[in-house]
Amino acid sequence: MRIDLSPTSWGRVVLVTVAGTAFFIAAAFFVDSFNFPSLSPDALLWAKLTDLFLPLVLGGSFLLFLMWKMRQLAVAQKELSIVAATDSLTAVFNRGAFSMLVEAYLDQARSRAAADAGALLIVDADHFKSINDRLGHDCGDQALKLIARTIQGQLHRADIVGRIGGEEFAVFLPGADATRSFLVAESIRLRIREAEFTPGGQPCPLSVSIGGIAFNGPTTYHDMFQVADRHLYKAKSNGRDQVSFESPRSALSGEAANTFH
């Protein structure tokens, strides 16, 4: 059984407290041991009890309090980092955290000898301004939450989703090939179109347009985003509620990218 010794764990608090207290007791016995030969039996017993209980009470209490406070600080820092990286409305990554995670993955991919693969999708809610204008911003917020949950429901554990604009989301699929990436994009589009959104009991259909690019080899987040954004514009120009997607083959050969609706 592996003990959790992370800064936020109680295992770290207990281990440091016990080990530190044992060290204090050992140090007290070592320093006082030079006086032991000259002490009477009663004085020797008293000295040993003092060397045991004084570090145990004072040192142990101090270490326990110190480690408890350090754990509280580590927990607060962790919670703060989560809040700083999370979009407060939809609970997915915010734009800064999303781009940082994608760039970190791409940096690692470039450092490896073997080329890596994956895809970037940009998901934009269609006619979202009309939802805010007709139903109010609270209903618009509920629609965004529903869209975010639906996107998350179509992803694997390693996939990343973030809100990168008002009604715009981005999805990164590390290690996914072009076929799986397109199927994920199409699944997201279909599930959102099928989602029940009835603010105030009135049906309000939702749909999204998706632009995407799959990569196979070294690339950058900036380059991928430009291509995916161009395909998002194409999907919207062609009537919305569709996926415009570029695979590595079409990117290299100049073939037309797939567009489905």
Side-chain angles (χ1 to χ4, degrees), residues 136-164:
H137 287 275
D138 183 63
C139 287
D141 289 347
Q142 296 305 314
L144 290 176
K145 291 179 182 179
L146 176 59
I147 291 172
R149 290 195 303 269
T150 304
I151 293 173
Q152 288 176 304
Q154 310 310 308
L155 303 181
H156 291 173
R157 187 171 184 177
D159 301 335
I160 305 170
V161 58
R163 183 185 177 197
I164 60 173

Side-chain angles (χ1 to χ4, degrees), residues 9-10 21-22 42 53 59 77 84 92-93 95-96 160 175 179 189 202 205 208 210 247 261:
S9 70
W10 281 107
T21 303
D42 290 342
F53 287 105
Q77 289 177 331
V92 299
F93 287 115
R95 186 186 186 100
I160 305 170
T179 300
R189 184 189 70 82
Q202 298 296 320
V208 294
I210 302 176
S247 67
H261 55 84

Side-chain angles (χ1 to χ4, degrees), residues 178-225:
T179 300
R180 189 219 156 202
S181 303
F182 179 78
L183 290 176
V184 169
E186 186 65 8
S187 178
I188 290 172
R189 184 189 70 82
L190 289 173
R191 296 292 86 76
I192 290 175
R193 189 171 67 177
E194 295 168 356
E196 291 187 7
F197 182 57
T198 55
Q202 298 296 320
C204 179
L206 297 176
S207 69
V208 294
S209 300
I210 302 176
I213 177 174
F215 69 93
N216 186 5
T219 187
T220 66
Y221 174 70
H222 178 265
D223 291 343
M224 284 197 304
F225 189 90

Side-chain angles (χ1 to χ4, degrees), residues 6 11 49 70 74 79 84 104 153 158 175 184 215 260:
S6 64
L49 290 175
M70 290 180 66
E79 291 176 347
V184 169
F215 69 93
F260 289 85

